[in-house]
């Protein structure tokens, strides 16, 4: 599709997200010849002129792009404009000078401004496509809402102006190559189709452990916590990819229908049983990668009595034919023992007692630190006795770890192309809030369990595990 003539407007153009992730991604797409939108307009409150904006972008590109090339930047610059203003319709109307044809509006703003910005653009008439074949798109960063009620409110605030087909909600995990591979691997290999159900699968564990702490984001993080920051969106999306029914074709609507359906089938967590389904943790002082680090409550900006969880684990059950009785465990934490992320699917052991108990297969999609798929099998140990040994078949997916902005590049390209398949639809987001809402309510005034920085998480995480299951160790 030829995008020449479309305008890419960034609201919040002087902010952190734009400088760290969005603009490096735009730059890289441009260098690769993929950025075929026309003009880029930065819009923000700062009373800057174009030169000041360009200088700001250049300084940050030099920091965040390893192979920054001044010649490419000189070419990209010619497309960039800057407009200062607030989020009122009156102010936003100034954008009409630049936006005459197709356009994309990217909200790189704090979440509390999403509704105001989307409405302001609507009231200024900027949401209306220029023709029946043209487009106006709105890109929103997470979090989409703060809980179920506020997500619904935000949905209602957008609805009069922006149709679902115009809204692209970014969940950068869905732009990750290994994440997209989960769907491809699942649905292209017939071998998996016959084992992908409760008859064969015992449990699924989805772990996203980080050694990182707050990275200066305390204002946001202390209000959000791990459940809102990671589980409601990123891990819930990983869960849908594992649990959804096979779509008949690679079509955004069909994919979203299937994802929304499996989320709807997730059993609600009863308010009086949250402790059986969820664990909150908060790190105390400890050592991460041999470095001493302070506890969460001692971090800059954090109150000494903060109740915010820096670790969250959830157990989900899916009440449908395929998954009846299979627990899905999701967990993510900051300042943990290792940067380790995986989706691990355990098969049930064979029913005969031929070779001893507990010899089960695992299929593991590893995302961090390396990207690979492991299939854990068993075989005869060479020798005179009939002994068994583990056999791990590993398929490396990619050698180097993807950079932060490559997921953004992928998603931006999808926005330019108008492909919504990697952007959660409103009903998916709403269902995800429905699932975590009882936990949020219960945790609001509850002190999370402590875990030392650099550990595997709070000891209480094990109470979620059914039967003899245990959390898989984090591999350094
Ligand atoms: C972000 C969270 O959405 O995802 C961060 O806000 C987290 O807290 C990050 O560190 C993890 O994603 P990635 O791709 O950087 O591993």
């Amino acid at each position: 599709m030829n995008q020449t003539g479309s305008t890419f407007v960034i609201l919040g153009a002087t902010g952190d997200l734009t400088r760290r992730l969005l603009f490096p991604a735009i730059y890289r797409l441009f260098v690769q010849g993929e950025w075929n939108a026309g003009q880029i307009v930065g819009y923000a409150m700062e009373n800057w002129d174009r030169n000041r904006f360009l200088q700001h972008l250049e300084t940050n590109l030099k920091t965040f792009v390893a192979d920054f090339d001044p010649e490419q930047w000189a070419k990209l610059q010619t497309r960039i404009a800057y407009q200062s203003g607030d989020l009122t319709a009156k102010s936003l109307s100034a954008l009409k000078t630049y936006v005459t044809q197709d356009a994309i509006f990217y909200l790189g703003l704090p979440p509390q401004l999403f509704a105001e910005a989307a409405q302001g653009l609507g009231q200024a008439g900027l949401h209306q496509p220029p023709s029946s074949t043209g487009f106006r798109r709105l890109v929103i960063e997470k979090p989409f809402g703060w809980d179920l009620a506020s997500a619904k409110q935000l949905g209602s605030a957008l609805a009069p102006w922006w149709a679902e087909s115009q809204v692209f909600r970014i969940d950068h995990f869905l732009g990750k190559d290994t994440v997209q591979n989960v769907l491809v691997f699942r649905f292209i290999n017939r071998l998996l189709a016959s084992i992908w159900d409760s008859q064969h699968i015992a449990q699924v564990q989805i772990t996203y452990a980080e050694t990182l702490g707050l990275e200066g984001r305390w204002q946001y993080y202390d209000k959000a916590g791990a459940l809102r920051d990671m589980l409601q969106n990123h891990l819930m999306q990983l869960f849908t990819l594992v649990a959804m029914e096979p779509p008949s074709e690679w079509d955004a609507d069909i994919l979203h229908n299937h994802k929304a359906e499996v989320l709807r089938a997730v059993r609600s967590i009863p308010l009086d049983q949250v402790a059986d389904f969820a664990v909150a943790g908060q790190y105390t002082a400890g050592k991460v990668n041999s470095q001493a680090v302070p506890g969460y409550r001692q971090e800059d900006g954090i109150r000494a009595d903060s109740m915010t969880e820096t670790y969250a684990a959830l157990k989900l059950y899916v009440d449908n034919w395929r998954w009846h009785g299979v627990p899905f465990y999701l967990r993510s934490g900051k300042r943990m023992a290792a940067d380790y992320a995986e989706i691990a699917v355990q098969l049930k052991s064979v029913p005969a007692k031929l070779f001893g108990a507990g010899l089960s297969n695992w299929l593991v999609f590893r995302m961090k630190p390396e990207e690979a798929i492991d299939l854990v099998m068993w075989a005869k140990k060479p020798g005179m006795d009939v002994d068994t040994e583990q056999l791990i078949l590993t398929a490396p997916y990619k050698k180097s770890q993807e950079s932060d902005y490559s997921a953004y590049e992928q998603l931006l390209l999808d926005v330019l192309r108008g492909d919504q398949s990697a952007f959660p639809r409103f009903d998916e987001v709403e269902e995800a809030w429905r699932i975590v809402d009882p936990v949020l309510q219960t945790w609001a005034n509850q002190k999370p369990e402590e875990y030392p920085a650099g550990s595997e998480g709070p000891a209480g995480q094990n109470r979620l595990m059914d039967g003899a299951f245990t959390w898989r160790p984090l591999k350094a």
Side-chain angles (χ1 to χ4, degrees):
M1 198 193 298
N2 181 10
Q3 301 289 340
T4 315
S6 71
T7 308
F8 192 89
V9 182
I10 306 169
L11 276 70
T14 53
D16 194 50
L17 184 89
T18 307
R19 82 190 172 91
R20 271 191 313 113
L21 289 170
L22 179 59
F23 226 86
I26 293 176
Y27 170 87
R28 303 246 321 156
L29 285 174
F30 179 76
V31 172
Q32 292 158 32
E34 299 280 4
W35 183 262
N36 46 16
Q39 200 170 22
I40 301 168
V41 185
Y43 185 89
M45 289 284 284
E46 275 73 17
N47 198 12
W48 291 1
D49 63 8
R50 178 171 174 270
N51 274 341
R52 172 96 195 265
F53 182 55
L54 291 177
Q55 258 166 26
H56 165 81
L57 292 177
E58 183 174 326
T59 311
N60 283 291
L61 285 175
K62 284 178 178 161
T63 312
F64 294 106
V65 177
D67 45 3
F68 176 79
D69 176 352
E71 274 181 35
Q72 293 287 351
W73 172 232
K75 285 188 208 152
L76 178 58
Q77 274 186 35
T78 60
R79 299 188 180 200
I80 302 174
Y82 182 77
Q83 174 70 45
S84 70
D86 59 28
L87 297 177
T88 56
K90 186 163 172 266
S91 225
L92 286 163
S93 294
L95 288 170
K96 288 184 177 163
T97 322
Y98 311 95
V99 176
T100 53
Q101 296 299 315
D102 297 338
I104 295 164
F105 297 93
Y106 190 104
L107 305 189
L109 296 164
Q112 60 274 23
L113 300 177
F114 290 166
E116 194 182 335
Q119 281 171 337
L121 289 167
Q123 284 156 358
L126 286 156
H127 67 297
Q128 259 160 355
S131 66
S132 59
T133 53
F135 62 81
R136 293 285 162 90
R137 298 182 183 135
L138 185 72
V139 187
I140 303 191
E141 279 289 334
K142 68 151 227 218
F144 194 83
W146 211 242
D147 53 19
L148 182 58
S150 58
K152 283 184 189 230
Q153 266 168 20
L154 182 53
S156 311
L158 262 58
W161 311 104
W162 300 93
E164 183 62 37
S165 59
Q166 294 177 279
V167 182
F168 291 68
R169 296 176 192 83
I170 296 229
D171 182 316
H172 81 282
F173 270 44
L174 296 178
K176 288 177 188 268
D177 219 11
T178 25
V179 171
Q180 300 198 342
N181 187 39
V182 174
L183 266 197
V184 175
F185 193 80
R186 238 196 94 186
F187 295 128
I188 207 169
N189 293 305
R190 193 169 184 128
L191 197 63
L192 296 184
S194 56
I195 57 155
W196 215 255
D197 58 25
S198 60
Q199 197 189 336
H200 299 93
I201 290 178
Q203 60 157 335
V204 179
Q205 293 188 17
I206 302 177
T207 293
Y208 209 88
E210 299 180 285
T211 56
L212 285 181
L214 290 183
E215 305 290 293
R217 297 160 73 218
W218 62 270
Q219 273 173 315
Y220 154 75
Y221 195 87
D222 199 45
K223 277 191 251 121
L227 190 60
R228 286 191 179 90
D229 186 48
M230 295 294 288
L231 275 81
Q232 185 274 341
N233 36 67
H234 304 324
L235 271 64
M236 204 66 84
Q237 285 293 326
L238 297 183
F239 155 78
T240 62
L241 303 183
V242 176
M244 70 192 273
E245 291 301 309
S248 51
E249 55 182 292
W250 198 271
D251 169 89
D253 278 338
I254 296 177
L255 288 166
H256 292 308
N257 291 343
H258 284 68
K259 289 168 74 188
E261 190 185 342
V262 75
L263 285 164
R264 270 195 290 275
V266 172
R267 192 182 304 165
S268 292
I269 299 176
L271 254 183
D272 58 354
Q273 289 172 34
V274 165
D276 297 333
F277 290 89
V279 173
Q282 190 185 64
Y283 63 83
T284 53
K287 271 196 172 171
V288 175
N289 295 328
S290 322
Q291 297 274 330
V293 296
Y296 181 71
R297 290 179 168 198
Q298 289 83 53
E299 296 274 16
D300 284 346
I302 303 296
R303 290 188 330 266
D305 59 353
S306 169
M307 303 281 203
T308 302
E309 81 284 357
T310 59
Y311 166 100
L314 271 187
K315 172 164 66 175
L316 305 179
Y317 285 106
V318 186
D319 288 331
N320 66 11
W321 284 86
R322 183 184 290 274
W323 294 116
H324 182 73
V326 179
F328 287 78
Y329 301 103
L330 280 54
R331 66 173 168 168
S332 180
K334 298 271 185 210
R335 288 282 191 234
M336 302 211 20
D339 283 305
Y340 189 73
E342 65 170 28
I343 300 173
V345 179
Q346 186 184 28
L347 278 91
K348 292 184 171 167
S349 310
V350 292
K353 289 184 193 140
L354 274 178
F355 306 112
L359 307 185
S360 61
N361 303 129
W362 288 87
L363 176 65
V364 184
F365 296 89
R366 277 192 280 139
M367 291 174 280
K368 271 188 180 187
E370 282 90 34
E371 305 187 27
I373 298 174
D374 296 327
L375 183 58
V376 179
M377 310 278 282
W378 295 87
K380 181 178 176 304
K381 197 172 185 171
M384 308 288 241
D385 299 319
V386 185
D387 284 341
T388 53
E389 68 178 358
Q390 206 178 58
L391 198 71
I392 304 183
L393 310 177
T394 295
Y397 187 63
K398 223 193 298 172
K399 285 202 191 68
S400 66
Q401 211 196 300
E402 64 181 17
S403 62
D404 264 356
Y405 47 72
S406 63
Y408 268 82
E409 282 168 49
Q410 173 67 57
L411 294 176
L412 280 179
L413 208 52
D414 289 348
V415 174
L416 294 177
R417 292 172 177 157
D419 178 355
Q420 285 186 305
S421 43
F423 299 84
R425 208 169 59 186
F426 182 62
D427 51 352
E428 290 171 58
V429 176
E430 199 179 7
E431 281 302 321
W433 281 120
R434 192 250 323 149
I435 295 164
V436 302
D437 221 45
V439 184
L440 288 173
Q441 287 179 38
T442 308
W443 286 0
N445 297 307
Q446 196 170 294
K447 184 174 184 290
E449 186 182 332
E450 295 180 350
Y451 63 97
S455 70
E456 301 254 332
Q461 63 181 326
N462 290 317
R463 72 163 185 264
L464 298 187
M465 305 316 266
D466 291 357
F469 298 151
T470 53
W471 284 105
R472 287 165 56 83
L474 307 175
K475 298 198 192 98

